[in-house]
C-alpha cells in the first residue's frame, strides 16, 4: 500500500518533508498527540513515521533478536551504539524496522526522502551502526504510518491534522515529552490555542 509510494519515481507531493501534527480532537488513539514526519506523498497515498512515541525495545534487544551479535559482543558495544534510539513509527507493519537517518550513510537500498534525510530498511545499516560505521544521526522506527489515496487529504480537511515544514533538528531530537509542543511552536501555536471544531466559511 503506502510503502509503494516511496519506491516510485515521482514528483514530490505537497506533504513530502512536512510534519503532520495531530489536532486535539484526533479520534484514533494511534495518533493522539503525535508528530508524523511524512516521507512520501502522492495521488496513491502517503507514508511517514511517528517521531514522538517511545519504543520499549533497546538497540541491543534488536541486535540479539536478529542474531547479528551474541550477548557477549553486545555487552562490549560502546554506550553511544547501545543508546541508538528506537521509536514506535506507526501502526502499520509494527514488527518491521526502518532507519531514518542523515545522508552521510548511503547503501544501495537507501532511499532519499529529502535533501538531507534518507530511509534504509535493510540489515546492512543495522550492522553498520553496530560496528560504529552508521549515520551521524538516525533512529530506528518499528512500523510506519500509511494512508491510501486521498485519505490524508480528507483527514486534514476534517481538521484532524495541521501541517508545517519538517525541521531535521526536531526529527532526531531525543526529548520526546515536549516534541508535540515544540512542533506546534514551529507554527507559533500552543496546544491551548487549538480547537477541536473544524471551521467553515
Amino acid at each position: 500500500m503506502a510503502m509503494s509510494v516511496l519506491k516510485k519515481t515521482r514528483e514530490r507531493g505537497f506533504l513530502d518533508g512536512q510534519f503532520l501534527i495531530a489536532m486535539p480532537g484526533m479520534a484514533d488513539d494511534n495518533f493522539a498527540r503525535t508528530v508524523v514526519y511524512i516521507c512520501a506523498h502522492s495521488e496513491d497515498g502517503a507514508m511517514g513515521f511517528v517521531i514522538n512515541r517511545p519504543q520499549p525495545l533497546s538497540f541491543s534487544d534488536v541486535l540479539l533478536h536478529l542474531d547479528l551479535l551474541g550477548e557477549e559482543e553486545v555487552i562490549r558495544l560502546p554506550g553511544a551504539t547501545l543508546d541508538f534510539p528506537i521509536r514506535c513509527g506507526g501502526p502499520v507493519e509494527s514488527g518491521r524496522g526502518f532507519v531514518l537517518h542523515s545522508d552521510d550513510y548511503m547503501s544501495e537500498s537507501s532511499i532519499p526522502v529529502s535533501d538531507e534525510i534518507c530511509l534504509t530498511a535493510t540489515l546492512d545499516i543495522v550492522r553498520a551502526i553496530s560496528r560504529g560505521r552508521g549515520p551521524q544521526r538516525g533512529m530506528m522506527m518499528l512500523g510506519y504510518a500509511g494512508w491510501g489515496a486521498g485519505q490524508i487529504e480528507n483527514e486534514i480537511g476534517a481538521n484532524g491534522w495541521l501541517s508545517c515544514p519538517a525541521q531535521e533538528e526536531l526529527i532526531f531530537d531525543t526529548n520526546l515529552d515536549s516534541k508535540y509542543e515544540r512542533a506546534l511552536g514551529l507554527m507559533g501555536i500552543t496546544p491551548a490555542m487549538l480547537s477541536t471544531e473544524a471551521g467553515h466559511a
Side-chain angles (χ1 to χ4, degrees):
M1 189 184 89
M3 273 301 291
S4 63
V5 176
L6 259 184
K7 298 181 176 124
K8 293 180 180 177
T9 304
R10 56 180 169 71
E11 291 184 17
R12 289 188 175 178
F14 72 89
L15 290 175
D16 277 25
Q18 297 275 311
F19 283 149
L20 290 185
I21 306 167
M23 287 288 281
M26 173 62 70
D28 187 339
D29 287 342
N30 288 310
F31 294 110
R33 286 182 58 83
T34 59
V35 181
V36 179
Y37 174 59
I38 296 295
C39 293
H41 173 232
S42 76
E43 62 185 17
D44 298 318
M47 73 87 61
F49 297 100
V50 175
I51 61 167
N52 64 330
R53 282 270 169 95
Q55 168 61 245
L57 289 176
S58 68
F59 191 64
S60 57
D61 293 331
V62 171
L63 293 172
L64 292 169
H65 176 74
L66 295 173
D67 288 328
L68 293 178
L69 293 177
E71 285 190 36
E72 304 252 334
E73 294 169 295
V74 167
I75 290 169
R76 291 196 294 268
L77 289 174
T81 302
L82 292 176
D83 292 338
F84 191 81
I86 316 281
R87 304 279 179 259
C88 288
V92 185
E93 294 190 58
S94 56
R96 185 174 175 187
F98 306 82
V99 179
L100 199 61
H101 58 91
S102 50
D103 64 359
D104 54 328
Y105 174 92
M106 287 290 284
S107 71
E108 288 183 8
S109 57
S110 298
I111 301 169
V113 294
S114 77
D115 292 338
E116 302 88 20
I117 297 174
C118 298
L119 180 68
T120 305
T122 50
L123 285 180
D124 54 348
I125 191 168
V126 181
R127 288 192 188 95
I129 294 164
S130 72
R131 294 168 183 162
R133 298 178 191 150
Q136 186 174 358
R137 308 181 84 174
M139 57 186 174
M140 176 174 281
M141 322 298 289
L142 294 182
Y144 67 92
W147 293 266
Q151 186 180 359
I152 193 62
E153 292 87 345
N154 290 339
E155 291 182 14
I156 291 171
N159 207 35
W161 301 94
L162 293 172
S163 68
C164 70
Q167 184 188 72
E168 184 180 353
E169 194 66 36
L170 197 59
I171 292 171
F172 295 115
D173 188 297
T174 56
N175 182 356
L176 302 187
D177 291 341
S178 66
K179 199 171 276 197
Y180 180 75
E181 287 78 9
R182 286 182 290 141
L184 287 172
L186 296 175
M187 304 174 70
I189 295 173
T190 66
M193 296 165 68
L194 298 176
S195 167
T196 59
E197 299 295 322
H200 299 284

